[in-house]
């Protein structure tokens, strides 16, 4: 219990952050024990899995090694019991995954060095899907952030900002999701999908001090980017990035709590990510 109290009431955390921590712990305990009651809205809600499954169909960058799952043994052993074991291989960056700050910033934290506090917190969902589906080059802008704040209030410090482009509807068709199904270096120039504008990224880290940023496309920079400015801005501020996130349309604009835990790869620049969200009943 002492550990939980220290987690919730960690010094220098905002009221919203403490509420997020309390909600997350409560949700976990409720799921484990089944002790929810209708009298407490923080004890009822649902988990949303924001992760695409990894398989041979998983979308990867055209130059990256795709996911492979190969059997070591599947069947009945000589002693008469069933046994299954597999080996997998894949690039760090593909499928639903995390970009660590060292991906685009020197001497920045690797995957295993990212504090857990950066990966758990209240979610803000910026929905630009109506614009992005019409324009594959769309970049979520300062105007989109201003529109969100006009409707929902100021983006709180230490929020996890998730940009919804709606492109998860095209998963796992690479031609529709990435703009091309071709592979290899030449295919990179044919990528067309939305991202986050560098000015918006800079504003989020400097003016709202967010803890992480993610979206439902293959890169936080739009497909035709060649300088990856948004990656660099976020990485230099040690902001983790979540890419190829799924089902953001099932989250409210505000009120959900996100937990995004990557495979803990020592020294890694990225890793497969299991990202989930808790949506309290009142926000359904």
């Amino acid at each position: 219990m002492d550990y939980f109290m220290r987690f919730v009431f960690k010094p220098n955390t905002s009221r919203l952050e403490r509420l997020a921590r309390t909600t997350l712990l409560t949700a976990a305990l409720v799921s484990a024990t089944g002790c929810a009651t209708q009298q407490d809205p923080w004890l009822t809600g649902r988990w949303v899995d924001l992760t695409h499954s990894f398989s041979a169909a998983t979308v990867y960058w055209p130059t990256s090694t795709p996911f492979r799952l190969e059997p070591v043994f599947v069947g009945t052993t000589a002693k008469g019991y069933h046994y299954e074991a597999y080996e997998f291989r894949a690039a760090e960056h593909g499928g639903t995954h995390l970009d660590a700050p060292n991906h685009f910033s020197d001497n920045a934290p690797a995957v295993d060095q990212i504090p857990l506090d950066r990966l758990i917190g209240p979610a803000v969902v910026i929905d630009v899907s109506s614009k992005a589906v019409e324009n594959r080059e769309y970049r979520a802008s300062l105007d989109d952030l201003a529109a969100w704040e006009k409707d929902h209030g100021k983006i709180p410090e230490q929020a996890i900002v998730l940009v919804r482009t709606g492109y998860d509807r095209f998963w796992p068709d690479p031609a529709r999701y990435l703009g091309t199904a071709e592979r290899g270096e030449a295919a990179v120039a044919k990528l067309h999908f939305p991202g986050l504008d560098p000015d918006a990224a800079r504003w989020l880290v400097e003016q709202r001090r967010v803890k992480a940023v993610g979206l439902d496309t293959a890169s936080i920079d739009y497909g035709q980017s060649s300088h990856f400015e948004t990656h660099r801005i976020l990485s230099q501020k040690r902001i983790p990035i979540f890419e190829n996130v799924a089902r953001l349309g099932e989250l409210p604009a505000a009120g959900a709590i996100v937990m995004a835990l990557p495979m803990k790869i020592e020294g890694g620049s990225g890793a497969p990510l299991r990202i989930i969200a808790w949506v309290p009943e009142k926000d359904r």
Side-chain angles (χ1 to χ4, degrees):
M1 183 60 69
D2 287 345
Y3 171 80
F4 293 139
M5 294 299 287
R6 289 196 301 272
F7 175 77
V8 172
F9 295 104
K10 181 180 177 180
N12 302 319
T13 56
S14 67
R15 177 180 176 276
L16 183 60
E17 177 71 5
R18 290 196 298 272
L19 181 60
R21 291 164 178 262
T22 302
T23 303
L24 185 63
L25 288 173
T26 300
L29 290 171
V30 167
S31 293
T33 64
C35 295
T37 67
Q38 294 300 318
Q39 286 70 40
D40 190 339
W42 290 107
L43 293 180
T44 56
R46 62 191 174 98
W47 290 104
V48 178
D49 190 347
L50 305 177
T51 313
H52 292 293
S53 296
F54 284 84
S55 72
T58 296
V59 177
Y60 277 77
W61 202 253
T63 56
S64 295
T65 302
F67 184 88
R68 291 193 179 97
L69 186 69
E70 299 174 348
V72 175
F73 183 91
V74 179
T76 303
T77 68
K79 296 182 179 180
Y81 57 84
H82 179 80
Y83 180 75
E84 291 187 29
Y86 303 84
E87 294 178 344
F88 68 87
R89 60 175 299 188
E92 293 176 314
H93 301 276
T96 304
H97 71 281
L98 173 142
D99 284 0
N102 69 334
H103 189 34
F104 275 88
S105 182
D106 192 23
N107 297 317
V111 172
D112 60 310
Q113 298 168 329
I114 299 173
L116 288 177
D117 282 354
R118 285 279 187 183
L119 305 173
I120 302 171
V124 164
V125 179
I126 310 295
D127 191 340
V128 298
S129 58
S130 61
K131 301 173 183 177
V133 171
E134 294 294 326
N135 177 10
R136 297 192 70 91
E137 318 303 326
Y138 191 78
R139 281 147 281 179
S141 67
L142 285 169
D143 287 344
D144 294 314
L145 301 179
W148 190 96
E149 290 200 335
K150 181 179 179 181
D151 291 339
H152 306 287
K154 183 178 177 180
I155 294 173
E157 289 191 5
Q158 300 301 297
I160 293 176
V161 174
L162 302 171
V163 178
R164 182 186 178 227
T165 70
Y167 272 53
D168 60 332
R169 74 184 69 182
F170 302 136
W171 186 275
D173 182 344
R176 301 182 71 195
Y177 189 75
L178 297 176
T180 179
E182 295 180 26
R183 294 195 55 78
E185 190 64 42
V188 174
K190 301 178 181 180
L191 295 172
H192 294 278
F193 53 80
L196 176 66
D197 186 83
D199 289 339
R202 187 177 293 107
W203 186 84
L204 284 171
V205 297
E206 293 180 354
Q207 302 300 318
R208 293 298 180 263
R209 299 174 62 85
V210 300
K211 62 168 58 178
V213 179
L215 82 175
D216 53 2
T217 70
S219 172
I220 199 74
D221 282 285
Y222 80 122
Q224 285 292 292
S225 175
S226 59
H227 290 86
F228 302 100
E229 294 175 82
T230 298
H231 270 99
R232 289 156 50 198
I233 290 165
L234 296 175
S235 295
Q236 287 165 8
K237 295 294 185 178
R238 302 191 167 204
I239 305 295
I241 299 167
F242 313 143
E243 294 172 333
N244 295 322
V245 180
R247 290 180 283 280
L248 290 179
E250 297 184 28
L251 302 188
I257 309 299
V258 164
M259 176 185 290
L261 300 182
M263 180 188 293
K264 193 174 180 180
I265 300 175
E266 184 174 350
S269 71
L273 179 69
R274 187 66 182 267
I275 177 170
I276 59 175
W278 173 255
V279 182
E281 183 74 29
K282 68 185 185 69
D283 290 318
R284 291 183 64 179

